[in-house]
Amino acid sequence: MSYYQQHVFFCTNQREEGAECCNNIGAQWMRDYVKDKVQALGLSNEANRIRINSAGCMNRCDDGPVLVIYPEGVWYTYMDESDLDEIIVEHLQNGRVVERLKI
């Protein structure tokens, strides 16, 4: 059994000025938003063990911003808080992949 029930990695990579990257689209802020929301919903407690982390470049820049959820290995793109809220509710709480955001 894995230490975490689910582990969410956000690409928060920052490339040189002008180069396309997830952090230019607010990835760090969005990661912080999800971390706060998961904690507020009680999903990161001993019973649920969901962890939200930052990651460096995950080589999916053309699909960015991106996040991946393990152990399922499901990759998502997102544009705003409502997309992230949908991922939290559907995937993290209810175990259903959000097909419209999957990459």
Side-chain angles (χ1 to χ4, degrees):
M1 177 170 200
S2 176
Y3 185 76
Y4 293 109
Q5 179 180 338
Q6 290 173 306
H7 209 147
V8 182
F9 292 94
F10 277 78
C11 177
T12 58
N13 191 52
Q14 183 64 58
R15 294 192 184 274
E16 293 178 15
E17 192 170 318
E20 189 173 321
C21 65
C22 290
N23 211 40
N24 285 350
I25 311 170
Q28 183 64 51
W29 187 92
M30 295 294 202
R31 178 251 179 217
D32 294 344
Y33 172 83
V34 170
K35 184 170 183 159
D36 291 344
K37 187 106 179 199
V38 163
Q39 287 176 340
L41 292 169
L43 299 176
S44 61
N45 63 22
E46 288 289 321
N48 295 308
R49 309 212 36 93
I50 295 173
R51 176 80 176 185
I52 310 300
N53 277 101
S54 296
C57 183
M58 299 198 291
N59 292 320
R60 304 239 15 209
C61 301
D62 291 340
D63 299 317
V66 299
L67 66 87
V68 61
I69 301 175
Y70 288 109
E72 299 94 325
V74 176
W75 290 79
Y76 289 113
T77 188
Y78 56 89
M79 297 313 302
D80 55 26
E81 294 94 334
S82 65
D83 288 346
L84 295 171
D85 288 340
E86 187 173 356
I87 292 167
I88 292 167
V89 170
E90 290 300 315
H91 194 125
L92 298 180
Q93 287 185 307
N94 296 311
R96 296 185 293 255
V97 173
V98 182
E99 292 295 334
R100 73 177 191 85
L101 298 174
K102 186 178 172 188
I103 55 174

